[in-house]
């Protein structure tokens, strides 16, 4: 074994160790946080390795394909029934997260647009990928995003647990399901599309966005649905986690640790604001309190979906609001980050 192989071996072993431990604890995003922690450990110990670009592009394409499943056909009638409320809640959440990100930048807690991307209440993995493509410090964005995912998921689990007096929800994954060609072929096509866009064009985060929007349109129309098996999703998250973790330096790690109180304060502030939105939704939409709370949770859409599916809530309402917010954040986050960063720079 060559000297160059040892860091990769250490990275693989550490990944298995961290991921298995986090998975055993039922920690949200364990499949990505575990590889990221392993990558940070190898990077800070002087491993001197990095993930090549092609595997990272493929990982982005798979993530886009996976996200496209959120655009289910039943979202359209649900959105049509209450679109003013959905848009008001989503835009208010985006505005609050943007204000918090701007404050982090204004007070020099986070550099440039990093704080704005880190507070964006979309899918954490998608925000990390887009943040890197738009020039933010992806390491600090990932630190902020996944810390919020953990906080929100734990809070939502506790609320649902005490609300219905049941056991915490945990769904075991089927790692190697039998292939179904009706879903496998669209998946392969969307991943190929994302890889081509990512490797052949200069569209920021195009490798993820192309399969996400094309797959979402196919799913909404009922023409096709993509299905990413658990083993491929785990490999994808490992690639993204390695990409982030291996880029860490001692300076970045120190900055993240020093900024932890401010980051936690911003997370709690956003959660409190979304709790206020939930109260408003209960008053004006006539839905249950638990339904409103889960619908307005700022991030962790996969975890919220699992909790909502096993709780006495209006699942369609919860997932419609979560999905609408995700797609709007994906569209609005880049221009919002540029606008708020420019505004903060002028005031500074």
């Amino acid at each position: 074994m060559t000297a160059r192989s040892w860091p990769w071996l250490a990275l693989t072993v550490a990944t298995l160790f961290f991921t298995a431990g986090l998975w055993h604890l039922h920690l949200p995003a364990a499949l990505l946080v575990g590889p990221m922690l392993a990558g940070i450990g190898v990077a800070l110990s002087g491993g001197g390795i990095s993930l090549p670009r092609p595997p990272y592009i493929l990982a982005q394409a798979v993530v886009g394909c996976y996200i496209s499943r959120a655009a289910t056909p039943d979202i359209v009638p649900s959105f049509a029934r209450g679109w003013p409320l959905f848009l008001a809640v989503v835009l208010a959440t985006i505005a609050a997260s943007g204000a918090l990100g701007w404050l982090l930048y204004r007070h020099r807690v986070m550099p440039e647009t990093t704080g704005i991307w880190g507070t964006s209440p979309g899918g954490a993995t998608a925000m990390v990928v887009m943040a890197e493509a738009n020039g933010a410090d992806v390491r600090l964005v990932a630190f902020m995003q996944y810390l919020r995912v953990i906080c929100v998921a734990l809070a939502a689990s506790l609320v649902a647990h005490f609300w219905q007096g049941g056991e915490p929800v945990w769904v075991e994954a089927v790692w190697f399901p039998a292939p179904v060609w009706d879903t496998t072929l669209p998946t392969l096509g969307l991943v190929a599309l994302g890889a081509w866009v990512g490797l052949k064009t200069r569209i920021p985060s195009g490798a993820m966005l192309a399969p996400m929007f094309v797959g979402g349109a196919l799913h909404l129309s009922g023409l096709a649905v993509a299905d990413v098996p658990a083993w491929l999703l785990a490999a994808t998250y490992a690639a993204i986690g390695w990409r982030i973790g291996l880029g860490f330096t001692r300076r970045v790690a120190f900055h993240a640790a020093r900024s932890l109180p401010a980051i936690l304060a911003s997370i709690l502030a956003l959660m409190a604001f979304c709790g206020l939105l939930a109260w408003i939704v209960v008053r004006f939409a006539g839905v249950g309190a638990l339904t409103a709370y889960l619908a307005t949770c700022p991030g962790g859409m996969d975890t919220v979906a699992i909790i909502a599916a096993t709780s006495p809530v209006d699942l369609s309402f919860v997932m419609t609001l979560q999905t609408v917010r995700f797609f709007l954040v994906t569209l609005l986050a880049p221009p919002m980050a540029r606008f708020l960063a420019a505004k903060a720079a002028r005031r500074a």
Side-chain angles (χ1 to χ4, degrees), residues 163-207:
W163 193 277
Q164 58 188 330
E167 293 298 320
V169 177
W170 181 252
V171 178
E172 293 294 339
V174 179
W175 289 104
F176 299 99
V180 179
W181 293 112
D182 288 346
T183 57
T184 299
L185 291 179
T187 301
L188 293 175
L190 290 173
V191 171
L193 171 66
W196 183 85
V197 171
L199 293 172
K200 300 297 183 180
T201 72
R202 295 185 178 180
I203 300 174
S205 56

Side-chain angles (χ1 to χ4, degrees), residues 273-297:
F273 180 79
C274 290
L276 175 62
L277 290 179
W279 178 79
I280 295 174
V281 169
V282 171
R283 290 291 303 273
F284 291 97
V287 301
L290 184 58
T291 295
Y293 178 79
L294 293 177
T296 56
C297 279

Side-chain angles (χ1 to χ4, degrees), residues 68-122:
S68 71
R69 291 176 54 86
T72 56
D74 60 341
I75 284 178
V76 176
S78 179
F79 179 74
R81 288 193 300 269
W83 65 268
L85 176 66
F86 287 127
L87 287 182
V89 171
V90 168
L91 292 177
T93 306
I94 294 174
S97 68
L100 290 169
W102 179 79
L103 287 174
L104 291 175
Y105 178 33
R106 183 72 175 83
H107 293 283
R108 300 183 181 181
V109 177
M110 287 290 157
E112 300 177 343
T113 59
T114 299
I116 298 168
W117 282 105
T119 56
S120 294

